[in-house]
Amino acid sequence: MKAFGINRIGLGLLGILLLCAGLVSGQTSDNVVGIFNMTIQPGDSFVAFPYQKPTLATGRIVANAEGVITAAPEGWVWKSELNEPGESTLYIEITDGPFEGWYFFIDSIDGDTVTLADRKAAELAAGDLAGAGFKLIPANRVRDLFGEPGATLLAGGTSHRNADSILRWTGISWSAPIYVNTIDRPEDGRIAGHWYCNGQLADDIVISRDEAVNLKIRGEAPISLRLVGDVSRNAHAMVFEAGLHLVGGATCISEQLGTSGLADVFQSASVAPEADNLFAWQGAWSAPVFRNSEDGKWYQGESEAVGFQIKPAQGYMVMLRNPPVNNVWTRPSPLAE
């Protein structure tokens, strides 16, 4: 295998996605492919993405240390060559073992050595991943989720102030808006029909696997998004720090709070302002959902959260008031046997 920098390689479509309603078995691999049709109303929405792109390669890890993973040379299985427009960013996802569902963005691959570019790698001790399986996946980008330049699904404008826009949560504030530029002035770096953020091309900005985003639709008519991709067979694990997190991803079926795994991460208390909280967007942020330390039940505001579900393709704000005792939220795959 040759060495390459992940952010500068040209990748393409791996096989052919089988489009179908619900979940079906893919014909070109052992992947299961899903489709989710979503209607976005005018105003603010918080949207997540339940599917991944097709897997580029699989293998097994023999060692890891200091942000470097060594794969078993005979274990690599590369899928068909792929070609997608723009610049691709890969991540490695662990498919079994104690760290199943963890993922790490990749800086480079040199032979059988994978160098990570992800601060979560600091959570790993030497040898933690030895023996684990993995897959390499191209990350979803703005262009993949909201339309290629010239065929975008959001309305453009001369600036983000008069266009539909996408905002990402940085952990302490909102990012600069991402929007479709309608001014064609290449000499000034403005190309009509492309995604921009802070005056820079943004077609290839990555939306992370477990990230949700804020969509601002300025028109009066709703828009439609069709989300298509692979349903992961392994669990997904989110690694949290204290603070505010806008999360989604992974879920392609509704989850009850009691079976969601959130109880493993959330610190409970007798009242919401002292507990970790989950907020749902309902035209405004909902009353906080929390786990009561006195009876072990989930509440939303003052009422028991009977029937509350974490739904597919929706973003939720999580507030962790203190560094979590267990900082990994593991979400089982709907395909788990």
Side-chain angles (χ1 to χ4, degrees), residues 41-279:
Q41 298 298 329
D44 286 284
S45 297
F46 291 81
V47 178
F49 311 99
Y51 308 127
Q52 299 173 293
K53 287 184 183 175
T55 297
L56 174 61
T58 59
R60 196 151 292 277
I61 297 168
V62 294
N64 71 281
E66 298 181 347
V68 176
I69 287 172
T70 304
E74 70 282 2
W76 286 90
V77 178
W78 287 84
K79 309 293 185 178
S80 354
E81 282 300 320
L82 104 175
N83 250 332
E84 66 181 10
E87 294 180 355
S88 300
T89 299
L90 296 186
Y91 60 90
I92 187 168
E93 184 171 288
I94 308 305
T95 57
D96 55 36
F99 289 83
E100 179 182 344
W102 286 52
Y103 78 103
F104 308 91
F105 285 108
I106 295 172
D107 178 69
S108 62
I109 299 176
D110 186 357
D112 299 308
T113 300
V114 181
T115 301
L116 307 180
D118 195 312
R119 68 180 186 177
K120 290 195 300 295
E123 300 258 350
L124 299 172
D128 272 351
L129 300 180
F134 69 85
K135 55 188 177 184
L136 300 184
I137 305 171
N140 279 319
R141 305 162 300 174
V142 169
R143 67 195 304 160
D144 303 316
L145 300 170
F146 299 105
E148 289 288 341
T152 55
L153 303 175
L154 304 189
T158 56
S159 79
H160 68 84
R161 294 179 180 84
N162 55 24
D164 296 341
S165 59
I166 305 162
L167 293 128
R168 302 174 64 205
W169 179 248
T170 67
I172 55 174
S173 63
W174 293 104
S175 67
I178 302 168
Y179 71 101
V180 178
N181 166 60
T182 57
I183 296 175
D184 198 28
R185 207 159 51 225
E187 65 275 12
D188 296 332
R190 302 287 295 274
I191 306 173
H194 282 262
W195 297 96
Y196 277 78
C197 179
N198 255 346
Q200 303 297 314
L201 278 169
D203 299 337
D204 299 318
I205 284 182
V206 166
I207 306 297
S208 297
R209 189 195 71 177
D210 302 322
E211 180 181 5
V213 298
N214 174 205
L215 292 187
K216 289 184 176 291
I217 306 302
R218 298 189 180 278
E220 297 181 358
I223 66 167
S224 297
L225 291 181
R226 171 170 287 188
L227 306 178
V228 180
D230 281 10
V231 181
S232 179
R233 290 185 179 275
N234 54 265
H236 276 193
M238 297 188 194
V239 182
F240 285 115
E241 301 171 347
L244 278 171
H245 308 270
L246 184 61
V247 301
T251 300
C252 51
I253 57 174
S254 293
E255 296 175 335
Q256 299 285 344
L257 282 170
T259 57
S260 68
L262 263 185
D264 296 334
V265 179
F266 272 32
Q267 296 182 48
S268 59
S270 58
V271 292
E274 297 176 5
D276 292 337
N277 298 156
L278 176 75
F279 299 90

Side-chain angles (χ1 to χ4, degrees), residues 242-326:
L244 278 171
H245 308 270
L246 184 61
V247 301
T251 300
C252 51
I253 57 174
S254 293
E255 296 175 335
Q256 299 285 344
L257 282 170
T259 57
S260 68
L262 263 185
D264 296 334
V265 179
F266 272 32
Q267 296 182 48
S268 59
S270 58
V271 292
E274 297 176 5
D276 292 337
N277 298 156
L278 176 75
F279 299 90
W281 182 257
Q282 299 164 342
W285 288 112
S286 69
V289 177
F290 73 103
R291 192 161 178 261
N292 191 298
S293 57
E294 296 179 351
D295 60 13
K297 296 180 179 179
W298 290 95
Y299 285 81
Q300 185 169 21
E302 300 295 324
S303 304
E304 191 173 340
V306 176
F308 185 96
Q309 295 183 333
I310 299 174
K311 297 179 180 179
Q314 293 191 17
Y316 295 86
M317 192 70 83
V318 170
M319 176 187 287
L320 301 181
R321 299 183 186 277
N322 300 295
V325 175
N326 174 8

